[in-house]
C-alpha cells in the first residue's frame, strides 16, 4: 500500500544537472512514486540567480537562502548539485544535522572531505549517496559498494573524463594536434571555457580517489592521487603508439599491491593496446574496467557527463534513499576498515615508452643501454632512425618502478650523445 504523504526533496542548484533532476521528478512523478512507495515532492530549489526563468519549476519554490532550506525540519532528502567545496560542504553537513539524507554529485568535495561527510551521516543516522559523482549515468559506485561487496577488487582502470577522451580520440582518428582538438571540443560544448580541471587531470583524480576508497575499503584523498595532465601529448606520440599497436588514453588507475599491503591511485596519459576494451571507447564516453578475484574482469561503459545522464544517476540515488527513509533504515556507509597505506608514485611498477633525440653515430645505443642496465631497467624493444647526424631512439621497457625510470632519465640527460628526451609515456592495460 502506497503512503499518501509525500517525501519532500530540497534541490541545491538548478543548472544543467539540477534542471534535469527537477524535470524528471515532475514528468516521471507517478513512476517514481510507484517505485519508492510514496510520492516525492520538490519542496524547494536553492539558486544564486532567482530572476532566471526555469521552465517547469514553480517560482514560489525558488530561494537564494540555501541554509534556511536545508534547515527546514520537513525536508527528507537534500539533492546537492552545485559543486565545489563551499558552500556545498556546510550545506550538506547542515542538512544531515537537521535530519535529511543527502544525494550529491560533488566529486571534488567527496574526494577531499568524504570521510568527514560519511562520519556526519553516520552520526545522524542518515544516508549519503553519490553515484553521480563518478562517470555520469554509468552505474559504478553502487556495484563496487554493494554488488562486489563480497569480492576482492584488485584493480580499477578507467576513462572517467569525457572531455579528455574526446580530445585524445580526435587526435588519434584525424591526426589533429592538441590545440586543434581542444578547440573543437570547446566549440561542441564538451570542454569548458577554462578546461584546466579536465585536461590537467584534476577531475579524473577526484574520481580516482573516490573509486579507490570504495574498491579497497581504504580512505583515499585527492592529495593521495598522483596526477599528470595530457596537454603535452602530441601527434608524434600517437604515431609512436600506432607503431606499437596502441592508442593513448587519459586513465585513472587504482591498484592493490601484489602483496595486498598497500594501494596506489594515479591519473596520467598512457598507451594501451588496441586489443584492450578501453581502446575502443570513443568520443566523450566513459568506461571503467574492474578486476576482482571472483568476478574476474568487468567493464562499465556509457555517457560520463551531461545533464540528463548525470540526473539519471541522481534520481537512482534518490529512489534508493527514499526507500530507505520509508523503511526506517540506511544504506551502506563508508567502508574503510582495511586502512591500507597509499604508496607513492615512485613505487608504481609499469612499462614505459621513451623517445630520445640522440646523435647519429656509433656507440650511442650501447651508451643508452648501459644507463638503463645501471638503473635496473630492462629493455624490451629498441627502434632507431637516423639522418644527417641526428637520430631518434625509441625504447620500450619491461616493467620497472617509476623511481628507477626517473633515475634512468636523469642519467640519460647527462650523456653528451643524448640531445633531449622527446617524450615519456607509460604503457598500461596488458
Amino acid at each position: 500500500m502506497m503512503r499518501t504523504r509525500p517525501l519532500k526533496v530540497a534541490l541545491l542548484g538548478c543548472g544543467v544537472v539540477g534542471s534535469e533532476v527537477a524535470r524528471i521528478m515532475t514528468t516521471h512523478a507517478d513512476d517514481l512514486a510507484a517505485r519508492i512507495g510514496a510520492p516525492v515532492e520538490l519542496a524547494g530549489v536553492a539558486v544564486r540567480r532567482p530572476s532566471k526563468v526555469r521552465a517547469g519549476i514553480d517560482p514560489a519554490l525558488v530561494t537564494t537562502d540555501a541554509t534556511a532550506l536545508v534547515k527546514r525540519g520537513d525536508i527528507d532528502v537534500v539533492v546537492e548539485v552545485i559543486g565545489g567545496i563551499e558552500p556545498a560542504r556546510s550545506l550538506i553537513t547542515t542538512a544531515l544535522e537537521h535530519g535529511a539524507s543527502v544525494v550529491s554529485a560533488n566529486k571534488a568535495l567527496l574526494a577531499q572531505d568524504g570521510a568527514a561527510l560519511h562520519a556526519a551521516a553516520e552520526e545522524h543516522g542518515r544516508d549519503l549517496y553519490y553515484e553521480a559523482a563518478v562517470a555520469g549515468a554509468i552505474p559504478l559506485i553502487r556495484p563496487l559498494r554493494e554488488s562486489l561487496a563480497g569480492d576482492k577488487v584488485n584493480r580499477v582502470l578507467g576513462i572517467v573524463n569525457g572531455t579528455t577522451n574526446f580530445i585524445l580520440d580526435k587526435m588519434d582518428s584525424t591526426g589533429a594536434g592538441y590545440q586543434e582538438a581542444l578547440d573543437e571540443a570547446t566549440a561542441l560544448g564538451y570542454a569548458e571555457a577554462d578546461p584546466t580541471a579536465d585536461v590537467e587531470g584534476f577531475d579524473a583524480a577526484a574520481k580516482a580517489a573516490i573509486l579507490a576508497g570504495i574498491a579497497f575499503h581504504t580512505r583515499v584523498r585527492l592529495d593521495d592521487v598522483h596526477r599528470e595532465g595530457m596537454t603535452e601529448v602530441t601527434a608524434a606520440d600517437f604515431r609512436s603508439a600506432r607503431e606499437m599497436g596502441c592508442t593513448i588514453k587519459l586513465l585513472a588507475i587504482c591498484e592493490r599491491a601484489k602483496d595486498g599491503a598497500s594501494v596506489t591511485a594515479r591519473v596520467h596519459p598512457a598507451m594501451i593496446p588496441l586489443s584492450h576494451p578501453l581502446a575502443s571507447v570513443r568520443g566523450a564516453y566513459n568506461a571503467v574496467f574492474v578486476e576482482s578475484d571472483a568476478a574476474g574482469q568487468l567493464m562499465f561503459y556509457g555517457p560520463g557527463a551531461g545533464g540528463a545522464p548525470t540526473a539519471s544517476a541522481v534520481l537512482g540515488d534518490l529512489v534508493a534513499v527514499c526507500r530507505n527513509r520509508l523503511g526506517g533504515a540506511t544504506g551502506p556507509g563508508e567502508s574503510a576498515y582495511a586502512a591500507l597505506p597509499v604508496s607513492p608514485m615512485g613505487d608504481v611498477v609499469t612499462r614505459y615508452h621513451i623517445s630520445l633525440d640522440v646523435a647519429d653515430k656509433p656507440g650511442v645505443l650501447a651508451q643508452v643501454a648501459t644507463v638503463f642496465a645501471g638503473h635496473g631497467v630492462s629493455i624490451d624493444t629498441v627502434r632507431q632512425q637516423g639522418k644527417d647526424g641526428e637520430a631518434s631512439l625509441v625504447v620500450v621497457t619491461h616493467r620497472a618502478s617509476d623511481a628507477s625510470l626517473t633515475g634512468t632519465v636523469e642519467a640519460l640527460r647527462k650523456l653528451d650523445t643524448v640531445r633531449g628526451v622527446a617524450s615519456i609515456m607509460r604503457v598500461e592495460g596488458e
Side-chain angles (χ1 to χ4, degrees):
M1 182 175 178
M2 182 178 294
R3 191 182 83 165
T4 57
R5 186 175 70 80
L7 292 160
K8 294 190 176 184
V9 178
L11 179 61
L12 307 183
C14 197
V16 174
V17 176
S19 60
E20 281 295 310
V21 171
R23 182 189 66 80
I24 295 172
M25 283 185 64
T26 301
T27 58
H28 295 181
D30 291 343
D31 286 339
L32 290 173
R35 294 166 191 168
I36 292 169
V40 285
E41 173 188 313
L42 189 59
V45 182
V47 299
R48 286 185 297 177
R49 295 183 293 276
S51 60
K52 181 179 177 181
V53 176
R54 295 173 172 85
I57 295 178
D58 183 352
L61 296 178
V62 176
T63 178
T64 57
D65 194 343
T67 301
L69 178 59
V70 301
K71 282 184 175 180
R72 280 174 46 176
D74 63 337
I75 298 297
D76 295 290
V77 184
V78 169
V79 175
E80 182 272 312
V81 288
I82 57 178
I85 305 302
E86 287 291 355
R89 173 171 50 199
S90 297
L91 290 171
I92 289 174
T93 302
T94 301
L96 293 167
E97 290 171 349
H98 284 77
S101 290
V102 173
V103 173
S104 176
N106 196 330
K107 54 189 171 286
L109 176 58
L110 289 158
Q112 180 171 307
D113 288 318
L117 295 179
H118 274 293
E122 183 176 0
E123 178 184 355
H124 299 288
R126 293 294 178 255
D127 279 321
L128 174 64
Y129 276 44
Y130 42 90
E131 183 68 63
V134 180
I138 304 172
L140 182 58
I141 288 178
R142 192 171 288 114
L144 283 173
R145 195 159 68 168
E146 298 178 28
S147 304
L148 295 174
D151 205 345
K152 178 183 177 185
V153 176
N154 296 309
R155 195 177 198 218
V156 180
L157 172 76
I159 298 164
V160 294
N161 183 278
T163 300
T164 54
N165 199 58
F166 177 89
I167 293 169
L168 292 172
D169 181 41
K170 187 61 61 174
M171 292 175 70
D172 188 21
S173 61
T174 69
Y178 166 76
Q179 190 60 51
E180 182 183 353
L182 173 59
D183 290 344
E184 183 173 350
T186 304
L188 292 172
Y190 291 127
E192 301 286 347
D194 180 1
T196 302
D198 294 324
V199 300
E200 293 295 351
F202 290 101
D203 176 84
K207 295 169 181 176
I210 295 170
L211 291 175
I214 297 171
F216 306 134
H217 305 279
T218 291
R219 287 179 178 168
V220 180
R221 289 171 47 89
L222 181 59
D223 292 345
D224 296 321
V225 182
H226 174 83
R227 176 195 56 79
E228 297 173 26
M230 47 154 282
T231 58
E232 301 301 318
V233 177
T234 66
D237 291 325
F238 274 100
R239 288 193 294 271
S240 293
R242 282 192 290 272
E243 290 173 356
M244 288 182 59
C246 293
T247 188
I248 299 171
K249 300 291 186 182
L250 184 75
L251 298 178
I253 305 169
C254 311
E255 292 180 308
R256 187 190 300 270
K258 297 255 184 227
D259 62 4
S262 64
V263 299
T264 58
R266 51 196 164 103
V267 168
H268 53 71
M271 295 181 179
I272 59 171
L274 293 174
S275 58
H276 194 282
L278 291 179
S280 60
V281 178
R282 311 300 296 271
Y285 274 68
N286 284 191
V288 178
F289 204 69
V290 177
E291 300 174 10
S292 68
D293 275 0
Q297 297 179 331
L298 306 170
M299 182 165 154
F300 301 83
Y301 170 83
T310 306
S312 171
V314 170
L315 267 296
D317 278 351
L318 179 63
V319 169
V321 168
C322 286
R323 286 172 174 169
N324 291 342
R325 189 86 173 188
L326 287 179
T330 56
E334 183 187 33
S335 175
Y337 73 90
L340 297 171
V342 182
S343 295
M345 186 63 188
D347 292 348
V348 170
V349 175
T350 188
R351 296 178 66 204
Y352 289 86
H353 176 284
I354 305 104
S355 180
L356 306 171
D357 296 325
V358 299
D360 186 15
K361 62 182 185 180
V364 173
L365 180 55
Q367 288 183 334
V368 168
T370 298
V371 169
F372 275 89
H375 287 81
V377 179
S378 175
I379 294 175
D380 182 17
T381 62
V382 178
R383 207 169 57 248
Q384 184 173 7
Q385 293 178 323
K387 184 179 179 182
D388 299 329
E390 298 296 328
S392 63
L393 192 65
V394 176
V395 178
V396 179
T397 74
H398 289 290
R399 292 175 65 83
S401 71
D402 187 84
S404 62
L405 196 282
T406 298
T408 302
V409 172
E410 289 175 355
L412 288 171
R413 294 183 194 275
K414 296 176 182 178
L415 293 178
D416 292 338
T417 50
V418 174
R419 310 294 193 220
V421 179
S423 70
I424 303 171
M425 192 165 294
R426 296 172 184 88
V427 182
E428 300 283 351
E430 297 173 285

